[in-house]
Amino acid sequence: MTASRSLPCIMAGVAAFTLLAGPLHCQTVQQNSLTTSADRAASTKPPTESVHIRGNSNAPVTLEEFGDFECPSCKSLATFLDQMVKEYHPRVRLIFRNFPLSMHQHARDAAAAAEAAGVQGHYWEMHDMLYQEQPVWSSSNDVRTLFVSYAETLGLDLRQFKRDMESGKVKDRIEFDQARARSLGVQTAPSLFVDKREMGANERNPEGVRRLVDAAVKTKTASPR
């Protein structure tokens, strides 16, 4: 990560999230992008949920991740959790929630791109591509063109993809995730819940996450006496 990329997050004054390859600095307090209570009261249409599950959908242990596609530490956590889901299969499943931070100018568009791909059944492929290509599109002045090129690589219907990115359905899905975040008191990205227990300050590292998952798996798979 370059100094110019990490500076805004450091300025936010939040402790580094040490995951995988050393300290990362985009565990940032969410400030402006969530809908206010007045906005919610003014809307009569409930947001639309679109649950994206990686792994065994019937797994006894659920990891619920709140991430921002433009956040480097979210990228590292996502990579690690993908490995965890494979390692603990079929006992663990992962649910990803969109939590675009207001400090990242392209994060909401990236979330819309992932949801638009999800409409065509390719959410996780776009999720992985957005994180893989994060250094490219996050510094681009034309992210929409790049997102369309990723959709083309995935073999999506490009006309539908462009339409869905701007659709109310996709916006509602992102709002649902943000409403879910509000209900849990989420204020930072990345945030992770393991069977409804939030990852603590001392667990923001591979060993800490693994301890949480191990404890949850042991609890859920213990033989009854």
Side-chain angles (χ1 to χ4, degrees), residues 19 47 54 60 93 105 126 132 140 147-148 178 182 189 191:
L19 186 64
R54 171 164 269 173
R93 67 175 186 166
Q105 62 176 331
M126 182 62 80
Q132 178 182 333
S140 173
F147 294 160
V148 170
Q178 294 186 314
R182 284 192 296 270
S191 285

Side-chain angles (χ1 to χ4, degrees), residues 2-77:
T2 66
S4 61
R5 286 293 306 281
S6 63
L7 182 59
C9 302
I10 296 173
M11 292 291 288
V14 183
F17 177 27
T18 55
L19 186 64
L20 296 181
L24 299 172
H25 304 283
C26 275
Q27 182 206 350
T28 308
V29 174
Q30 176 76 335
Q31 296 176 337
N32 299 319
S33 68
L34 294 183
T35 306
T36 65
S37 297
D39 292 333
R40 294 198 305 273
S43 175
T44 58
K45 180 181 178 182
T48 302
E49 181 175 17
S50 179
V51 179
H52 305 294
I53 297 174
R54 171 164 269 173
N56 174 21
S57 61
N58 296 316
V61 174
T62 299
L63 312 182
E64 188 169 10
E65 174 191 7
F66 293 82
D68 173 319
F69 285 110
E70 198 170 343
C71 168
S73 42
C74 294
K75 173 183 177 180
S76 292
L77 179 60

Side-chain angles (χ1 to χ4, degrees), residues 186-200:
V186 173
Q187 294 186 327
T188 66
S191 285
L192 176 68
F193 291 79
V194 179
D195 272 357
K196 300 183 179 181
R197 178 185 171 185
E198 185 173 10
M199 173 177 61

Side-chain angles (χ1 to χ4, degrees), residues 115-126:
E115 289 294 344
V119 172
Q120 298 188 48
H122 293 275
Y123 181 86
W124 286 107
E125 291 90 337
M126 182 62 80

